[in-house]
Amino acid sequence: MNDERDGHTLDPEDWGAFRSQSHRMLDDMLDYLEQLRTRPVWQPIPAERRTGFREPLPQQPTELNELHQRFMQEVLPYAVGNAHPGFMGWVHGGGTPVGMLAEMLAAGLNANLGGRDQMPIEVEKQVLHWVRELFGFPESASGLFVTGASLANFIALLVARTAALGETVRVDGLAEHRLVAYTSAGAHGCITQAMELAGIGSAALRLIPLNDQFQMDIAALEQAIANDRAAGSTPFFIAATSGTVDVGAIDDLDAIADLARRERLWLHIDGALGALGMLSPDIAPRLAGIERADSIAFDFHKWGQAPYDAGFILVRDGELHRRTFASPAAYLRRETRGIAAHSPWPCDFGPDLSRGFRALKVWFTLKTYGAAQLGEMISGTCALARYLAERVAATPELELLAPVALNVVCFRYRFPDSADSNRLNAELAVRLQEGGRVAPSTTTLHGTLAIRAAIVNHRTNRTDIDALIDSSLTCAAAMMRA
Ligand SMILES: *Cc1c(COP(=O)(O)O)cnc(C)c1O
């Protein structure tokens, strides 16, 4: 080892060689993204790959080049495939090459955005500024990046709990209070989990039935609130959904906002999937009412196409938000000058102290493409979903299982053995995934198993939709011959 190198540094000894190796790694990822279409969406991990990857804690160094090759051969081919245009499962964004580069810059800087006086926090505040503008929230609204909408929904619930019981809830807990919250039967499971984590308990969450458009039934919501008040409980929180995970339904946000105002309840919107529809002039009007929410949770890693992870929480009452989380600590003392200046800090608005520079990839994404182009891309995914729904409706072997409000299409194959339809459609979805051309997932609607295609990826086009229809028909035919 070179004597002039400092102590135990982990930096390269030969920066020139490291630079060449870095460029090879970058080129490999650019090749991967450029050639996505030539690859399978997903392929099963061979058993020997899985077991062969296991090894004891490495004691000795390994050449970076060798590890790069291992990544290319053992890891990269066996990812979930959400970058691929044929991926339609769950609700996964595709990412962009721009987002990848921004992640590299952020990692190089290794900024910790918990707090302190630094420009990376100004980048996050700039994104917050854009988010306020997008949702018509006031300057006093607060917000920050979190892992995903699951955590963002949880944070919103905690702020609403402070609104209902005051800051003392942080010290005293719920005591004798019987808080009750409301969401629809179509809500994401993370709302239930948030109730559990907040100590309120999921038994105090009312799952309001859906109407035939898979939206929260407003009359049933009103009745549930009245029943709970009559029983001596304290209704405090409504979580409406803009884009349910099952079918992409948008709750009637304006009607729910009216009700929330009348009843003096906190209105939160789980916009994980759909809130960024505000970027699209044709979808934004259908989200009317979102600007009246007390808080909104959403994900830049879904429709926003930022690389994972990039959830966001926006809270109208920034001071209440801060009072829900801020804690004095000697080692986090604030100053008016020096590195510890410019308080409050992001760590005052959530449970995370150390935080990465998620804001940078979103700043790059919004600046590189611009809101208009991102909006068109979002609209485009909805147009593809409508095209898929039309193709399903025009194909006698297939049946549409839910109205298509946004970018999610649920359908099934009409197998002649209808008693076994759920099992056969689940098998069909697995075979499509294993086929490697298109990858939908499944859900269950009114007891019926649905093949579910969520068109989130900006790379997906009509040929992929056609491939989903064609592969479904050929796979189902093969199953019936077998
Ligand atoms: C994806 C999703 C979530 C969860 O978001 P994460 O980012 O995965 O934590 C919550 N609600 C809805 C409606 C979603 O689509």
Side-chain angles (χ1 to χ4, degrees):
M1 196 180 272
N2 185 339
D3 291 344
E4 287 171 17
R5 300 181 75 241
D6 295 331
H8 294 98
T9 183
L10 300 177
D11 282 338
E13 206 168 343
D14 179 349
W15 278 97
F18 188 84
R19 188 178 297 261
S20 312
Q21 171 61 30
S22 306
H23 290 165
R24 283 195 294 276
M25 290 166 94
L26 176 61
D27 277 337
D28 271 353
M29 286 320 284
L30 293 173
D31 286 345
Y32 168 75
L33 292 174
E34 187 179 4
Q35 294 156 17
L36 270 173
R37 261 194 192 283
T38 64
R39 300 179 151 271
V41 181
W42 176 86
Q43 53 187 332
I45 308 168
E48 64 280 10
R49 270 271 177 263
R50 207 186 290 270
T51 52
F53 200 75
R54 281 289 151 76
E55 55 187 353
L57 179 67
Q59 297 296 340
Q60 298 306 320
T62 308
E63 284 297 324
L64 183 55
N65 176 48
E66 189 184 316
L67 299 176
H68 173 209
Q69 293 316 315
R70 283 196 63 189
F71 170 79
M72 293 307 292
Q73 286 151 24
E74 298 176 42
V75 180
L76 179 137
Y78 306 104
V80 152
N82 49 299
H84 193 287
F87 189 87
M88 303 166 184
W90 299 273
V91 186
H92 282 23
T96 65
V98 167
M100 174 181 85
L101 294 176
E103 283 283 69
M104 185 192 70
L105 301 182
L109 199 55
N110 191 26
N112 178 347
L113 273 77
R116 294 154 291 267
D117 197 12
Q118 52 173 323
M119 204 58 194
I121 290 183
E122 296 305 318
V123 175
E124 181 157 353
K125 283 185 181 165
Q126 173 60 70
V127 175
L128 167 61
H129 195 80
W130 289 331
V131 166
R132 285 191 198 115
E133 186 180 329
L134 186 65
F135 294 111
F137 269 46
E139 273 299 301
S140 50
S142 52
L144 79 166
F145 279 97
V146 289
T147 44
S150 299
L151 194 70
N153 284 319
F154 177 46
I155 289 174
L157 183 73
L158 295 177
V159 183
R161 195 183 63 167
T162 308
L165 302 183
E167 239 180 291
T168 53
V169 67
R170 294 178 60 179
V171 177
D172 299 336
L174 294 176
E176 301 300 307
H177 293 287
R178 284 162 54 201
L179 296 180
V180 183
Y182 307 83
T183 196
S184 86
H188 194 275
C190 68
I191 304 288
T192 303
Q193 193 194 51
M195 288 289 284
E196 295 166 1
L197 297 177
I200 304 168
S202 48
L205 179 66
R206 308 283 179 255
L207 296 178
I208 306 301
L210 301 171
N211 66 19
D212 61 358
Q213 297 299 303
F214 292 82
Q215 299 166 303
M216 183 155 32
D217 180 327
I218 311 276
L221 171 62
E222 196 160 10
Q223 189 58 55
I225 295 169
N227 293 348
D228 285 320
R229 286 205 200 283
S233 296
T234 307
F236 83 114
F237 181 81
I238 304 174
T241 308
S242 65
T244 59
V245 65
D246 268 342
V247 304
I250 306 167
D251 283 336
D252 185 341
L253 304 180
D254 252 329
I256 296 174
D258 288 341
L259 182 59
R261 184 166 302 168
R262 271 201 312 280
E263 297 283 346
R264 299 180 170 281
L265 305 186
W266 184 280
L267 173 58
H268 171 69
I269 295 179
D270 178 3
L273 181 160
L276 283 180
M278 290 301 281
L279 289 165
S280 151
D282 49 284
I283 297 169
R286 302 182 33 228
L287 300 174
I290 199 167
E291 72 288 348
R292 297 169 63 192
D294 293 299
S295 53
I296 304 174
F298 66 99
D299 280 322
F300 281 108
H301 55 224
K302 290 178 177 173
W303 253 348
Q305 313 295 339
Y308 281 85
D309 46 32
F312 203 91
I313 175 67
L314 178 68
V315 178
R316 179 177 302 279
D317 185 340
E319 181 50 22
L320 192 69
H321 184 184
R322 194 189 63 79
R323 283 197 281 117
T324 301
F325 292 99
S327 304
Y331 43 84
L332 292 175
R333 188 184 141 89
R334 314 301 158 92
E335 303 287 355
T336 53
R337 286 169 32 239
I339 297 177
H342 234 83
S343 186
W345 293 343
C347 65
D348 300 323
F349 294 89
D352 293 319
L353 178 52
S354 290
R355 310 169 62 245
F357 196 180
R358 295 187 180 102
L360 192 66
K361 60 197 170 191
V362 172
W363 184 85
F364 264 96
T365 301
L366 286 164
K367 288 291 285 180
T368 302
Y369 302 105
Q373 191 183 343
L374 292 172
E376 272 170 38
M377 171 274 296
I378 284 170
S379 258
T381 61
C382 294
L384 284 176
R386 290 193 298 274
Y387 172 64
L388 172 55
E390 282 162 23
R391 288 229 44 198
V392 168
T395 307
E397 295 91 335
L398 302 178
E399 178 186 3
L400 196 63
L401 292 176
V404 175
L406 284 174
N407 58 339
V408 183
V409 181
C410 290
F411 66 97
R412 68 170 170 177
Y413 190 91
R414 297 182 210 259
F415 285 97
D417 178 4
S418 60
D420 212 13
S421 170
N422 286 359
R423 189 187 64 77
L424 292 168
N425 275 284
E427 170 67 20
L428 175 53
V430 170
R431 288 193 186 203
L432 289 171
Q433 293 169 359
E434 288 171 345
R437 175 62 187 90
V438 286
S441 58
T442 63
T443 191
T444 302
L445 302 173
H446 304 305
T448 298
L449 189 123
I451 297 175
R452 175 179 166 288
I455 317 299
V456 187
N457 190 322
H458 60 99
R459 301 182 176 103
T460 305
N461 66 28
R462 280 188 173 226
T463 65
D464 301 301
I465 304 295
D466 291 337
L468 174 61
I469 297 283
D470 297 345
S471 310
S472 297
L473 297 179
T474 46
C475 264
M479 281 168 64
M480 287 182 295
R481 273 199 309 274

